[in-house]
């Protein structure tokens, strides 16, 4: 009986500290999940580099590669969006706005005189007050983001450097035979690559191709809409059409029929057919996931995990399928195996 009490007390301690640890991780969950995802993608490179250099050196090099691969595209996108916004502002002819004429027009229509300069000044003062009041929240958000990014970088480094030790520790804690664990990790690995290579990579390629079409036809804010199309391309049956379709209509409305037809033909042929050619190459190498699993995983994952749910949602459902497959293959043997650790 004393042994059972000791085991129960240990389980209580495990549950307590697991809960407290979860409270520590939750404020930075997006950054932790992002670091784990990047570490998973880069870990095969880490293993190859460790054959030539020390693990810390390999991990440091890959962290630098990951930062450059994230920061440089982000800077390019932000610069492109800022350039688009500047061009739009330059096209606005502020001299065409005659406040006096507007005041007279309002007075003729409503019979009431207005002082637009004073009204605009009051509005500007109110906006300034709102900005000042929210400055603390903005500062807090920026600080949280910087801390989260720093945490993600450090976590990524140690996940790469100590990844093999972490996997060994997890295998030792799991009370399953080695061959069952091998099957499970193989199934999970196939699911992960099916989501990343078969869906995320295809979404990035399709969104980028569609964005090039917007850029070539002169659609404003092409960089911003490219990012939107990449996200939409993660969702089956929706895709980038939700952006380039209205863009075609926009070009017709501004009397650019040739550009509209060119964008339509390009999007239908290049963007549309890219899925037919890329998916057999990328997806067939890994586990095939039903589109319903992807849709439910992406949409439900956003609500459950935030932005990272776009990636982890389908992985969670795929992992459930992998567990069920492994259980179906080994359950009868495990039920009767006396020496299962």
């Amino acid at each position: 009986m004393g042994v059972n009490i000791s085991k129960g007390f240990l389980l209580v301690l495990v549950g307590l500290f697991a809960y407290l640890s979860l409270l520590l991780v939750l404020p930075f969950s997006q950054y932790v999940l992002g670091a784990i995802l990047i570490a998973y993608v880069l870990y095969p490179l880490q293993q190859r580099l460790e054959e030539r250099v020390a693990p810390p050196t390999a991990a440091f090099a890959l962290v630098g590669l990951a930062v450059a691969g994230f920061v440089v595209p982000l800077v390019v996108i932000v610069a492109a969006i800022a350039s688009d916004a500047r061009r739009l502002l330059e096209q606005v002819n502020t001299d065409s706005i005659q406040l006096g004429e507007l005041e007279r027009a309002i007075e003729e229509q409503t019979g009431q005189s207005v002082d637009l300069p004073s009204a605009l000044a009051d509005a500007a003062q109110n906006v300034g007050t709102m900005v000042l009041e929210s400055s603390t929240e903005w500062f807090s958000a920026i600080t949280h983001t910087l801390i989260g990014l720093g945490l993600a970088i450090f976590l990524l480094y140690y996940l790469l450097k100590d990844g093999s030790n972490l996997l060994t520790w997890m295998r030792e804690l799991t009370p399953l035979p080695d061959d069952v664990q091998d099957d499970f990790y193989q199934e999970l690995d196939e699911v992960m690559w099916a989501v990343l290579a078969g869906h995320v990579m295809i979404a990035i390629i399709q969104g980028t191709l569609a964005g090039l079409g917007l850029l070539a036809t002169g659609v404003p804010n092409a960089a911003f809409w490219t990012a939107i199309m990449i996200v939409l391309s993660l969702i089956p049956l929706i895709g980038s059409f939700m952006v380039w379709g209205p863009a075609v209509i926009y070009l017709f409305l501004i009397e650019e029929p040739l550009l509209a037809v060119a964008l339509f033909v390009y999007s239908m042929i290049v963007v549309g057919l890219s899925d037919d050619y890329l998916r057999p190459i990328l997806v067939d190498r890994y586990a095939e996931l039903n589109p319903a699993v992807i849709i439910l995983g992406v949409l439900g994952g956003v609500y459950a995990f935030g932005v990272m749910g776009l990636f982890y949602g389908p992985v969670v459902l795929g992992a459930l399928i992998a567990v069920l497959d492994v259980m179906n293959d080994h359950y009868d043997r495990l039920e009767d195996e006396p020496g299962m650790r």
Side-chain angles (χ1 to χ4, degrees), residues 14-280:
V14 170
L16 174 63
F17 286 110
Y19 173 73
L20 294 177
S21 300
L22 180 63
L23 294 180
L24 296 177
V25 173
L26 281 179
F28 300 99
S29 59
Q30 296 295 309
Y31 303 97
V32 173
L33 292 175
I36 294 173
L37 183 65
I38 297 174
Y40 174 79
V41 173
L42 295 179
Y43 188 68
L45 291 177
Q46 172 73 18
Q47 291 179 310
R48 293 185 180 182
L49 289 176
E50 287 182 359
E51 297 176 358
R52 301 184 178 182
V53 297
T57 304
F60 184 80
L62 291 179
V63 168
L65 176 64
V67 171
F70 172 77
V71 173
V72 173
L74 180 62
V75 171
V76 171
I77 292 174
V78 171
I81 294 176
S83 178
D84 290 340
R86 179 181 57 81
R87 284 196 298 266
L88 289 174
L89 290 175
E90 289 176 352
Q91 294 173 359
V92 177
N93 186 4
T94 57
D95 295 334
S96 64
I97 302 177
Q98 302 293 334
L99 296 182
E101 295 180 2
L102 288 176
E103 290 177 351
R104 286 192 295 271
I106 293 174
E107 186 174 359
E108 291 175 359
Q109 295 293 328
T110 64
Q112 298 180 356
S113 60
V114 294
D115 186 0
L116 287 180
S118 299
L120 292 175
D122 292 340
Q125 183 178 1
N126 292 334
V127 171
T129 302
M130 293 175 59
V131 171
L132 181 63
E133 291 176 351
S134 61
S135 60
T136 303
E137 297 179 2
W138 280 103
F139 178 78
S140 176
I142 293 174
T143 302
H144 182 269
T145 300
L146 293 176
I147 295 175
L149 289 175
L151 173 64
I153 291 173
F154 280 105
L155 184 60
L156 174 61
Y157 171 77
Y158 285 106
L159 284 174
L160 291 172
K161 184 176 76 72
D162 301 325
S164 58
N165 296 331
L166 177 61
L167 291 176
T168 301
W169 177 71
M170 291 174 59
R171 293 180 68 94
E172 290 177 351
L173 286 181
T174 304
L176 291 173
D178 291 337
D179 61 331
V180 177
Q181 293 195 50
D182 291 339
D183 289 345
F184 171 70
Y185 287 124
Q186 181 180 356
E187 292 267 359
L188 187 60
D189 185 64
E190 291 178 352
V191 168
M192 287 286 291
W193 281 112
V195 173
L196 293 176
H199 299 281
V200 176
M201 188 178 298
I202 291 176
I204 293 174
I205 294 174
Q206 285 185 332
T208 303
L209 290 175
L212 292 176
L214 299 184
L215 181 64
T217 53
V219 176
N221 298 317
F224 170 77
W225 293 117
T226 298
I228 298 298
M229 286 188 290
I230 290 175
V231 175
L232 291 176
S233 297
L234 291 170
I235 306 175
L237 307 180
I238 296 179
S240 58
F241 171 77
M242 297 297 293
V243 174
W244 68 256
V248 171
I249 299 175
Y250 163 79
L251 292 175
F252 271 114
L253 293 177
I254 64 173
E255 299 181 353
E256 294 287 354
L258 293 179
L259 292 178
V261 172
L263 179 61
F264 177 80
V265 173
Y266 169 83
S267 299
M268 288 294 295
I269 296 178
V270 177
V271 179
L273 294 181
S274 63
D275 182 76
D276 297 332
Y277 286 98
L278 291 174
R279 195 167 297 277

